[in-house]
Amino acid sequence: MKAQILYISHGGGPLPLLGDQYHQNMVAFMQDLNTKLVRPDAIVVISAHWEMARPTLLSNENPGLLYDYYGFPREAYQITYPAPGDPELARTIATLLAGDVDEKRGFDHGMFIPLSLMYPDAGIPTIQLSLLSSLSSLDHWNLGEALRPLLDQNILFIGSGFSFHNMRLFYQQDDKQNQAFQEFLIHTCATDLPLEKRKEALVGWQQAPFARHCHPREEHLLPLHICCSLAQKTAQLVFDDEILMRRSVGFLWR
């Protein structure tokens, strides 16, 4: 497998780039990631911030940025990340997934915040793949399986979400409920389980301890389903720390 697959918790809006104290450990982790990865020929980001009825690939040659957040200082809307697109790869994946391409959309912050930290040179061709608006766990597991013909290419797949995402509970002391759910994710993804057991656990994630406490809506978790299904192997736990005062995790497959 030449491809590398990464699931990350990408933090709160633009705060990682604004010096926020509750993102310091996450920022240090992401700034160091490129020393642990083989530099890819292309990057495919599955962002929690794009949902479509059919799998859709961003196919702009030179995408702009979507500042898809509000209420932040002016500098949050002056961030630049001029990474090139990869229309050919976008069309290839759209065909593989029986999906669509979008030539007009720009990169959202689920892409440009982490990549600004990981690859500040913005020199790697990058595309985004949407989530499905069904928000079905099984549909997203199946998307990962459909991407597996690309595993022999030097592509970095990034599932950009957040392993805890209850907006009302950030900036509060972490609780036992979240601890239990993060342990469920670690056990499911980073211990040696049969593939069917791993699939059963992730597809049925709502049965995990305190699942809806941690994810009232599942869009920040679903990139993990795609990554785990695409890899079909045990992950390495590469991040286990607090973001916005909540324990969050990240996984790497290679």
Side-chain angles (χ1 to χ4, degrees):
M1 182 171 95
K2 290 179 65 175
Q4 300 165 102
I5 304 165
L6 179 69
Y7 173 78
I8 52 173
S9 296
H10 63 224
L15 291 173
L17 301 187
L18 301 180
D20 180 72
Q21 64 173 318
Y22 298 107
H23 287 81
Q24 290 178 354
N25 293 337
M26 187 203 94
V27 167
F29 159 71
M30 288 191 178
Q31 288 177 331
D32 188 53
L33 261 177
N34 63 22
T35 68
K36 296 178 168 61
L37 300 171
V38 175
R39 187 173 176 91
D41 297 327
I43 298 173
V44 178
V45 177
I46 304 109
S47 169
H49 296 283
W50 189 20
E51 299 171 21
M52 298 292 287
R54 288 160 50 89
T56 305
L57 283 299
L58 190 157
S59 62
N60 194 327
E61 287 188 1
N62 295 286
L65 301 188
L66 296 177
Y67 302 110
D68 52 338
Y69 40 69
Y70 60 91
F72 291 97
R74 176 184 295 181
E75 56 263 38
Y77 306 93
Q78 298 173 334
I79 294 167
T80 60
Y81 193 76
D86 191 333
E88 182 178 353
L89 180 60
R91 289 190 292 268
T92 296
I93 296 178
T95 299
L96 197 62
L97 301 181
D100 301 319
V101 295
D102 185 328
E103 299 178 354
K104 298 181 179 180
R105 189 182 193 273
F107 294 129
D108 62 53
H109 78 271
M111 177 278 190
F112 68 79
I113 296 299
L115 288 190
S116 292
L117 297 167
M118 293 171 61
Y119 297 106
D121 63 287
I124 303 173
T126 302
I127 61 175
Q128 282 192 227
L129 167 63
S130 73
L131 296 179
L132 298 172
S133 51
S134 69
L135 299 183
S136 159
S137 300
L138 181 58
D139 287 350
H140 288 84
W141 181 274
N142 291 340
L143 272 185
E145 288 194 332
L147 290 168
R148 285 181 58 78
L150 300 171
L151 288 177
D152 63 350
Q153 298 186 36
N154 184 27
I155 297 173
L156 172 59
F157 293 90
I158 300 178
S160 181
F162 212 139
S163 66
F164 174 92
H165 198 257
N166 186 329
M167 298 290 287
R168 296 182 299 105
L169 298 179
F170 285 125
Y171 296 109
Q172 299 180 32
Q173 186 174 354
D174 204 14
D175 51 39
K176 293 181 180 179
Q177 292 95 320
N178 182 43
Q179 293 288 334
F181 187 75
Q182 301 306 313
E183 288 297 332
F184 160 76
L185 293 180
I186 293 169
H187 175 75
T188 300
C189 299
T191 59
D192 189 16
L193 296 178
L195 179 61
E196 284 305 310
K197 290 289 187 183
R198 187 171 285 130
K199 177 181 178 180
E200 180 183 1
L202 278 183
V203 170
W205 72 275
Q206 295 182 54
Q207 306 306 313
F210 309 107
R212 283 300 182 187
H213 171 86
C214 297
H215 289 275
R217 193 173 188 273
E218 51 264 62
E219 79 284 351
H220 277 73
L221 188 65
L222 291 173
L224 176 62
H225 291 68
I226 296 175
C227 290
C228 200
S229 174
L230 172 59
Q232 296 197 6
K233 63 197 304 187
T234 302
Q236 177 186 357
L237 178 67
V238 290
F239 183 82
D240 185 0
D241 213 322
E242 287 191 353
I243 305 173
L244 294 170
M245 299 180 67
R246 292 285 161 169
R247 184 185 182 191
S248 305
V249 296
F251 300 104
L252 173 65
W253 298 259
R254 56 183 172 184

